[in-house]
Amino acid sequence: MKKTSVNIGIIGFGTVGAGTARILLKKRGELESRLGFPLTLKNIADLDTERDRGIKLPPGILINDAQRVLNDPEIDIVVELMGGIHPAKEFILQAIRNGKHVVTANKALLATEGHEIFRAARKSRVDIGFEASVAGSIPIIKVVRESLIGNRIQSIYGIINGTSNYILTKMTEEGLDFTTALREAQALGYAEADPTFDIEGIDSAHKLTILASLSFGIPFSFKKIYTEGITKITPLDIQFASEFGYKIKLLAVAKQEGDTVEVRVHPTMLPKDYLIASVNGVFNAVYIEGDAIGSHLYYGRGAGEMPTGSAVVGDIADIAKNIIATQNTEYRTQTGLIQDTKYRIKKMEDVQTCYYLRFSAFDKPGVLSRISGILGNHNISIKSMIQKGRKLEKAVPVVMMTHEARERDMMRALKEINGLPAVSGKTVYLRVEGGNNQDGRHKG
Ligand code: NDP
Ligand code: HSE
């Protein structure tokens, strides 16, 4: 019998589950008229069926057993919104074995176990939708795997963690301390169950793993991504960055050069007049350069109940259209994820960027020449410098911007500099994009 509607089962009725259910239920009529057939939310499974989620469900929808969703022959699409690796992975594999299409927002799972999941989906000829896994409401997965298919992607620069962008924005604009800003982001539902993922750059690295795999055809390489978070960023560095004309952002970078791809996540200084530097709060942005398009910038909300629910519903609708059009007999869009590649990942020590350096140095004759001598011996050239205050008995901050240098050289130079008797404590360093004006196209 020909199918005339598509049934959906959600597992996980938390922030994103509630947003997805709200859209499916409230916009049922609009969705049906846009698609030409109804999307029916048959069940939502959550461990806790008592907690108030601020949304009234029709009777019988909320259940406490995910197995009922996974084994229900009437459910066509299983939407995994519980998060974590286990048992989310086992649930998804079970859904796939049962011939169900899957939609997930679970970037941690895809970045670490994606190959097994996509292989299983390919074998069972079912689709996996994962738009919500990167950059929340921004349809960046669709862009990379469908809209830009005619391009060779050259580079991606992303602000793809709403929580850390929210924190850095609050620290920069309102002088809030780190902990207060994090608490606000958690209260707003932006942060992961374990906020360490957000503030240590791990969530950005999960998302970059997915984007880099789609864009460059490399395997999911989460473990190979250089990852550094924002926990060491201080108001002092935010202020110095501003004096030099920069903002500090947690940037995810994937850049192709020859037969290598750089994939890295770290706090980065960006010139204030770059469009991406003005992306504030929970907003995300992804800047992409391709050989046909030149450059594009995608911008929008990167987290939260309704923006993320919107991305999940977009995937559900896409897969549902395919189910109705092909009546489940044809397998559609697994492009981009299981590919051969000519690219290898560049070692972090070979990456070249400009640097911001903050030394705490005793203001004694010859200190600066010792520091600049060591930098010079390691092929690092200074672009500009400021020294704040003059106290003979106390270390004062000396701040430098360098021209492009190799990471390996910089780490060796800093080791020597940190050992100088006139230098107190560890030197703070931040990588800088656009420091040599090499990326002028980012400009607003
Ligand atoms: P929440 O913690 O708010 O919701 C998860 C829900 O799943 C909770 O209600 C939890 O119940 C439930 N759950 C856990 N285990 C099971 C199980 N075995 N069976 C049924 N239900 C279960 O998470 P979010 O909604 O924030 O995130 C969900 C996913 O979306 C994650 O992968 C996250 O990374 C991703 N994501 C989140 C975004 C956001 O803005 N929050 C944005 C983009 C992606 P209980 O609380 O009782 O444990
Ligand atoms: N914790 C994530 C963030 C949620 O803050 O961006 C969206 O993936």
Side-chain angles (χ1 to χ4, degrees):
M1 206 171 65
K2 244 178 149 18
K3 266 186 97 58
T4 52
S5 75
V6 171
N7 291 328
I8 293 135
I10 296 177
I11 305 177
F13 195 27
T15 304
V16 185
T20 303
R22 209 184 288 281
I23 296 173
L24 287 175
L25 294 172
K26 281 206 168 161
K27 303 203 170 157
R28 190 180 152 84
E30 277 164 82
L31 286 165
E32 180 169 350
S33 67
R34 285 174 191 166
L35 288 167
F37 59 86
L39 296 175
T40 306
L41 178 55
K42 187 152 187 241
N43 281 123
I44 304 177
D46 198 284
L47 300 173
D48 181 350
T49 54
E50 300 301 320
R51 196 158 75 234
D52 180 15
R53 324 270 171 166
I55 163 173
K56 199 166 163 18
L57 297 175
I61 288 201
L62 189 58
I63 56 175
N64 65 2
D65 183 6
Q67 288 302 324
R68 276 179 57 193
V69 169
L70 296 167
N71 295 322
D72 182 345
E74 287 183 359
I75 287 181
D76 304 291
I77 304 176
V78 169
V79 185
E80 182 277 304
L81 298 175
M82 53 188 277
I85 307 297
H86 304 289
K89 177 183 170 187
E90 290 71 24
F91 284 0
I92 287 180
L93 290 174
Q94 186 179 343
I96 291 171
R97 276 197 305 277
N98 289 348
K100 298 183 190 313
H101 302 273
V102 171
V103 173
T104 178
N106 196 335
K107 57 264 165 160
L109 177 61
L110 293 182
T112 51
E113 308 285 334
H115 275 303
E116 194 177 336
I117 289 168
F118 284 101
R119 245 196 313 270
R122 178 163 284 209
K123 196 167 157 224
S124 294
R125 301 170 70 85
V126 296
D127 220 339
I128 311 277
F130 52 102
E131 188 61 73
S133 67
V134 181
S137 66
I138 306 173
I140 197 69
I141 300 295
K142 203 179 184 80
V143 162
V144 172
R145 74 174 179 172
E146 296 180 24
S147 316
L148 301 187
I149 200 162
N151 284 257
R152 179 173 58 80
I153 291 180
Q154 294 152 323
S155 55
I156 298 177
Y157 300 84
I159 294 177
I160 49 180
N161 182 264
T163 302
S164 52
N165 202 40
Y166 183 89
I167 293 171
L168 288 175
T169 304
K170 290 279 175 176
M171 287 174 75
T172 306
E173 294 190 347
E174 295 174 27
L176 244 60
D177 65 69
F178 181 86
T179 318
T180 312
L182 170 61
R183 262 204 299 271
E184 278 188 14
Q186 285 176 299
L188 290 164
Y190 304 148
E192 294 303 306
D194 178 358
T196 317
F197 278 29
D198 296 297
I199 59 182
E200 294 294 0
I202 299 163
D203 179 69
S204 293
H206 285 149
K207 292 166 179 166
L208 187 63
T209 301
I210 297 169
L211 273 186
S213 177
L214 282 177
S215 306
F216 302 109
I218 55 175
F220 289 106
S221 311
F222 171 65
K223 287 198 176 131
K224 292 190 185 160
I225 294 186
Y226 176 84
T227 306
E228 204 183 297
I230 59 165
T231 51
K232 295 194 191 95
I233 301 297
T234 62
L236 188 62
D237 294 309
I238 290 176
Q239 185 196 320
F240 279 131
S242 179
E243 285 182 36
F244 278 111
Y246 290 85
K247 278 194 174 178
I248 300 177
K249 295 287 179 190
L250 183 64
L251 201 68
V253 180
K255 233 193 256 190
Q256 175 252 325
E257 203 184 86
D259 63 354
T260 63
V261 187
E262 290 174 20
V263 267
R264 50 190 165 93
V265 172
H266 48 73
T268 305
M269 281 174 40
L270 290 166
K272 280 182 188 167
D273 60 356
Y274 276 23
L275 276 177
I276 199 166
S278 61
V279 173
N280 286 326
V282 70
F283 281 88
N284 281 197
V286 183
Y287 176 91
I288 297 187
E289 290 178 318
D291 62 349
I293 55 165
S295 61
H296 281 182
L297 182 69
Y298 302 89
Y299 169 82
R301 284 181 196 279
E305 179 181 318
M306 297 307 280
T308 315
S310 158
V312 172
V313 172
D315 270 345
I316 293 172
D318 250 6
I319 293 174
K321 271 190 284 186
N322 191 50
I323 292 173
I324 293 295
T326 63
Q327 299 296 303
N328 266 339
T329 58
E330 221 170 82
Y331 158 88
R332 194 181 51 126
T333 54
Q334 292 296 328
T335 53
L337 278 163
I338 304 173
Q339 288 187 347
D340 293 330
T341 180
K342 58 179 192 248
Y343 299 125
R344 67 187 163 78
I345 292 177
K346 192 184 264 189
K347 287 191 181 137
M348 190 60 193
E349 59 183 23
D350 292 328
V351 165
Q352 297 202 62
T353 65
C354 302
Y355 289 82
Y356 157 98
L357 305 173
R358 176 165 62 81
F359 311 95
S360 290
F362 294 99
D363 194 358
K364 290 189 180 145
V367 174
L368 277 181
S369 73
R370 290 294 308 276
I371 291 175
S372 54
I374 293 174
L375 290 172
N377 289 342
H378 289 278
N379 304 313
I380 300 162
S381 129
I382 299 164
K383 190 174 163 198
S384 53
M385 194 198 91
I386 42 180
Q387 178 182 337
K388 289 279 173 181
R390 176 126 217 252
K391 290 188 191 118
L392 290 178
E393 70 292 351
K394 238 176 116 189
V396 292
V398 176
V399 185
M400 286 178 186
M401 301 288 290
T402 76
H403 289 290
E404 230 172 49
R406 199 177 296 274
E407 178 90 0
R408 184 192 299 115
D409 295 334
M410 183 56 81
M411 293 308 125
R412 285 180 182 160
L414 290 183
K415 201 169 170 206
E416 272 186 51
I417 290 169
N418 289 340
L420 291 176
V423 169
S424 144
K426 271 197 171 173
T427 300
V428 173
Y429 61 91
L430 286 166
R431 298 170 191 90
V432 181
E433 288 291 332
N436 273 355
N437 240 358
Q438 74 271 41
D439 293 314
R441 277 172 296 170
H442 290 264
K443 272 194 162 188

